[in-house]
Amino acid sequence: MLLEFMEVNKTPCLVVNNLNPITAESIFGLRKLAYKTIYIAPAYKPFIDITLADFRTIFKDDLKLSNNLQKFLDKNKVYTPKYVSKPFQHQMEGTEYCLDLLRAGALYDPGLGKSKIIIDVINTLREKTLILSPLIGLYNTWEKEIQIHGDNLPFSIYHGTPKSKKKAIEKFRDDGLILLTTYETAKKDLQVILELNYAIIIADESHKMRSIKSGISKTALKLSEKAYRRIISSGTPTLGDPRHIYCQLKFLSPVLVPDYHVFKLNYLIFKEARGKTFPVGFKNLNVLNEKVNLVCKRKTKEECIDLPERTITDIHVELSSDQNKTYKDLSLNIPTMGLNISNILVALRKMHETCGGTLKNNNKLPICDTCIHVQDCVRNEIKPYTQQCKIETKAPIPTINIFKKNPKLDALLELLDMILIDPKHKVIIFANYVAELDLIEEKTKQYGIQRLSKFMVKGYNLDFRILLGQISQGQSFTFNEAQYMIIFSCSLDLKDYLQAIDRNYRIGQTQNTTIYRIIAKDTIDEKIFEAIEKKQEISEYIVNSTINVGKSIQRPTLV
């Protein structure tokens, strides 16, 4: 059996002809070319070692390697990284790792300087690179980091107006080395970007690809096909569910994961209820862990940098009588909803809002109940309060009910009085709902407050003492000036929580930091933090090579 060598779009491949299909199924990484008897497999590390071991097990002494394949394997090119700014040891390890593997993941905790690792890789290779990034990281992280660590690497940002995007494309085609764009812009202008030539693709904050059904994931996977060198970068690659890592691994190489249906059967535990099947737990995470660590390097803050102490303190409060009555009324309705997931989620959201002292009412009436057009609307999938609705095209303006007594707000104000008595202290406050932010801003504006807008990507001045924003906005910025953080309310998204709590606990922080989490007793507040901690545990099982797990794990849930 002769194994040969070829390059496909600069990607080294092992080639074998006339192989028995049953034998091919038992060899790692083999893929049959359409309408041919030829099979190919990755000929680069770490996959080639596994594939060759399978071939040797089956064919033993009958296995032969072509001269070209043997020459490629003997070559083993080693890159010497080019650093503009001095790296930390963990950054050097990450840069060398990403240079050594054509497909690599830098799964470093937030705040460990993943962007510098990527820039050092690009500076060393000097090949055209496409970087996909969340909007908030486009200017606030990448533009600044390239200027600091990039030795004048020519870059352009493909975002904004048609005129600015056209200029970015022209610059990249002429003498540009890096094209920066957002996942959303790439999805919208996929065909434009596919016409470009790039050898490297970077998926920054690659957890954006956590759903196989999302247009963002499909776009990133399509764009990855053109690049022979691929890197994913995330501090929160999986948010408590093995399905979140699927597209990220497929982005690196399809040989890492099977068909998605098979993947779910391999790692999810299902339960049937009322004719429907639901995932209730996870299994074989040790097997998935091995696949992740085959191509990804995981680093935590604790093992990389000597940061000051961080303390997390929970402040428990009891709901006011009005809040408690509303909360109980909402919770008693849930058992009557059966498996109507959308109604259950609305009820849970309202319960969560109640804990923070606000309650949003969309003021929508059940106009479909007595409407003569209801059958036509169901048949044509027309929803009320849309342009197609024959009765009402505009939704009523929502109203926000504010509870007169709000123990969580009282606790926050007491904390601020204690923290800000020192004129040097600053604090970050995160909440989950805009109505909560408005309420907090109204009560604390005397201190000097700055709202962290989702679109505030150009930086901020420091003429304030409170930085206030939604917890979902807590990413791609550093505010080490704040020694304190208060989480007024939290989403169920692990990524939101982990990214947010690291905004003032990053390289350069020299002071001890404290996080206060204000929690309403015996409510969904407690359940959310319990679920987040469980998700964090599951995530580490998947990506951390030092954790050993082989048991089944229950899926975190609120109900």
Side-chain angles (χ1 to χ4, degrees):
M1 177 57 61
L2 179 64
L3 303 185
E4 299 185 81
F5 175 80
M6 67 182 290
E7 284 194 350
V8 179
N9 190 27
K10 294 185 72 173
T11 302
C13 294
L14 176 153
V15 182
V16 59
N17 201 356
N18 295 321
L19 187 65
N20 185 304
I22 297 175
T23 304
E25 288 179 5
S26 62
I27 297 174
F28 176 83
L30 276 186
R31 178 169 59 91
K32 186 178 180 182
L33 295 182
Y35 309 113
K36 295 184 180 180
T37 59
I38 298 174
Y39 288 85
I40 64 171
Y44 48 86
K45 295 186 294 186
F47 308 128
I48 184 62
D49 297 331
I50 305 171
T51 305
L52 286 178
D54 287 345
F55 268 110
R56 289 185 178 115
T57 300
I58 296 169
F59 294 99
K60 299 182 173 57
D61 294 339
D62 292 333
L63 185 67
K64 305 257 185 256
L65 274 60
S66 71
N67 291 335
N68 285 341
L69 178 58
Q70 190 63 60
K71 192 182 294 184
F72 171 78
L73 296 175
D74 293 340
K75 191 175 179 182
N76 194 25
K77 185 172 182 179
V78 177
Y79 293 92
T80 301
K82 296 178 182 178
Y83 299 114
V84 175
S85 56
K86 185 177 179 181
F88 289 94
Q89 179 61 35
H90 66 272
Q91 291 174 321
M92 291 175 62
E93 292 175 14
T95 302
E96 291 167 3
Y97 186 83
C98 291
L99 287 170
D100 190 42
L101 300 182
L102 289 183
R103 311 292 165 85
L107 308 185
Y108 281 36
D109 272 358
L112 290 180
K114 294 185 291 296
S115 55
K116 174 173 165 52
I117 292 172
I118 304 301
I119 292 167
D120 289 337
V121 168
I122 299 170
N123 195 39
T124 302
L125 297 172
R126 290 279 170 166
E127 294 191 80
K128 284 189 178 290
T129 303
L130 173 65
I131 298 179
L132 303 175
S133 166
L135 173 61
I136 198 169
L138 209 59
Y139 301 95
N140 208 38
T141 299
W142 284 107
E143 185 178 33
K144 293 178 181 177
E145 292 290 295
I146 290 172
Q147 292 168 352
I148 295 170
H149 306 297
D151 190 23
N152 297 316
L153 287 173
F155 72 94
S156 53
I157 297 177
Y158 185 79
H159 182 71
T161 64
K163 185 177 179 180
S164 65
K165 288 194 286 188
K166 183 180 179 182
K167 283 186 177 180
I169 290 289
E170 291 172 351
K171 181 178 179 181
F172 183 68
R173 279 181 171 149
D174 291 342
D175 59 354
L177 204 61
I178 300 172
L179 184 69
L180 289 157
T181 190
T182 68
Y183 287 91
E184 289 77 13
T185 302
K187 175 187 168 186
K188 180 181 176 183
D189 296 347
L190 176 60
Q191 293 307 317
V192 175
I193 298 175
L194 280 173
E195 291 175 4
L196 300 174
N197 292 319
Y198 51 90
I200 305 170
I201 186 169
I202 313 294
D204 181 37
E205 305 294 359
S206 55
H207 52 258
K208 292 274 286 183
M209 291 188 278
R210 61 182 178 267
S211 171
I212 192 172
K213 295 180 180 179
S214 77
I216 283 175
S217 298
K218 293 174 183 176
T219 297
L221 291 173
K222 187 65 178 176
L223 291 171
S224 72
E225 294 174 4
K226 287 197 67 174
Y228 82 96
R229 188 179 284 272
R230 308 169 193 173
I231 300 174
I232 62 171
S233 169
S234 177
T236 52
T238 173
L239 309 176
D241 190 323
R243 289 172 292 185
H244 295 163
I245 202 75
Y246 180 84
C247 287
Q248 296 173 73
L249 291 179
K250 190 172 183 179
F251 176 92
L252 292 178
S253 176
V255 305
L256 286 166
V257 288
D259 172 81
Y260 187 60
H261 177 70
V262 176
F263 181 88
K264 291 192 293 182
L265 293 177
N266 286 346
Y267 302 113
L268 270 64
I269 299 171
F270 291 94
K271 184 177 180 181
E272 190 171 318
R274 300 186 187 180
K276 294 185 179 181
T277 303
F278 299 93
V280 294
F282 311 120
K283 62 184 179 181
N284 302 325
L285 296 187
N286 55 324
V287 178
L288 185 56
N289 177 281
E290 290 176 5
K291 288 184 180 291
V292 171
N293 285 284
L294 192 64
V295 290
C296 297
K297 181 174 279 291
R298 169 74 173 147
K299 289 286 186 181
T300 63
K301 276 198 177 76
E302 290 73 20
E303 61 185 303
C304 293
I305 53 178
D306 186 20
L307 284 171
E309 182 180 355
R310 176 168 69 178
T311 304
I312 298 179
T313 301
D314 290 342
I315 308 295
H316 291 273
V317 301
E318 293 187 358
L319 297 179
S320 68
S321 57
D322 287 345
Q323 285 175 300
N324 197 42
K325 182 180 183 307
T326 301
Y327 186 92
K328 285 185 175 179
D329 288 344
L330 289 166
S331 64
L332 289 173
N333 283 332
I334 290 180
T336 68
M337 296 176 183
L339 295 178
N340 192 323
I341 302 300
S342 59
N343 286 350
I344 292 174
L345 290 175
V346 169
L348 291 172
R349 178 182 60 79
K350 288 180 176 293
M351 290 164 63
H352 195 209
E353 288 177 341
T354 300
C355 293
T358 67
L359 189 58
K360 184 177 179 180
N361 187 348
N362 61 26
N363 295 323
K364 291 182 179 179
L365 299 173
I367 59 175
C368 299
D369 291 356
T370 57
C371 180
I372 60 173
H373 306 290
V374 66
Q375 291 184 352
D376 288 339
C377 291
V378 171
R379 185 166 50 251
N380 297 308
E381 298 183 351
I382 297 174
K383 296 182 179 180
Y385 302 111
T386 63
Q387 290 298 318
Q388 294 77 26
C389 180
K390 296 179 180 179
I391 301 300
E392 188 60 69
T393 58
K394 290 185 178 180
I397 299 173
T399 55
I400 304 295
N401 297 327
I402 306 294
F403 289 89
K404 290 183 179 179
K405 292 186 178 180
N406 188 347
K408 285 184 76 170
L409 183 62
D410 293 341
L412 180 136
L413 295 176
E414 287 182 17
L415 285 172
L416 290 178
D417 284 344
M418 176 188 71
I419 293 168
L420 299 180
I421 195 170
D422 186 328
K424 295 179 181 178
H425 286 170
K426 295 181 185 289
V427 60
I428 303 171
I429 301 175
F430 286 119
N432 196 45
Y433 303 105
V434 174
E436 293 174 335
L437 299 179
D438 295 339
L439 186 62
I440 292 168
E441 182 175 19
E442 178 63 29
K443 297 293 184 179
T444 60
K445 56 187 176 184
Q446 71 272 20
Y447 292 112
I449 195 165
Q450 171 83 18
R451 288 285 282 263
L452 179 64
S453 169
K454 185 167 70 172
F455 300 104
M456 189 189 69
V457 294
K458 293 290 187 181
Y460 41 78
N461 61 55
L462 296 177
D463 297 332
F464 60 89
R465 302 192 66 192
I466 298 172
L467 184 61
L468 174 67
Q470 276 186 286
I471 196 160
S472 59
Q473 299 170 3
Q475 58 181 310
S476 298
F477 74 91
T478 298
F479 192 53
N480 280 340
E481 293 84 355
Q483 195 173 345
Y484 296 90
M485 180 182 294
I486 300 173
I487 299 179
F488 184 80
S489 62
C490 188
S491 76
L492 191 59
D493 193 321
L494 176 63
K495 179 259 303 178
D496 289 351
Y497 177 73
L498 293 181
Q499 291 279 354
I501 64 174
D502 278 340
R503 291 309 98 198
N504 65 340
Y505 197 63
R506 308 167 73 78
I507 292 174
Q509 180 59 273
T510 59
Q511 305 178 88
N512 291 340
T513 59
T514 302
I515 298 173
Y516 293 104
R517 306 190 305 188
I518 304 178
I519 302 171
K521 288 174 64 176
D522 302 321
T523 70
I524 194 172
D525 272 3
E526 292 182 337
K527 296 292 185 183
I528 284 174
F529 283 111
E530 288 173 8
I532 281 175
E533 289 167 7
K534 189 65 178 178
K535 285 183 177 183
Q536 193 169 2
E537 179 186 356
I538 294 169
S539 296
E540 287 302 314
Y541 285 151
I542 295 171
V543 301
N544 197 328
S545 61
T546 63
I547 294 179
N548 192 7
V549 59
K551 62 183 180 179
S552 299
I553 299 176
Q554 185 177 355
R555 187 185 184 206
T557 180
L558 294 181
V559 290

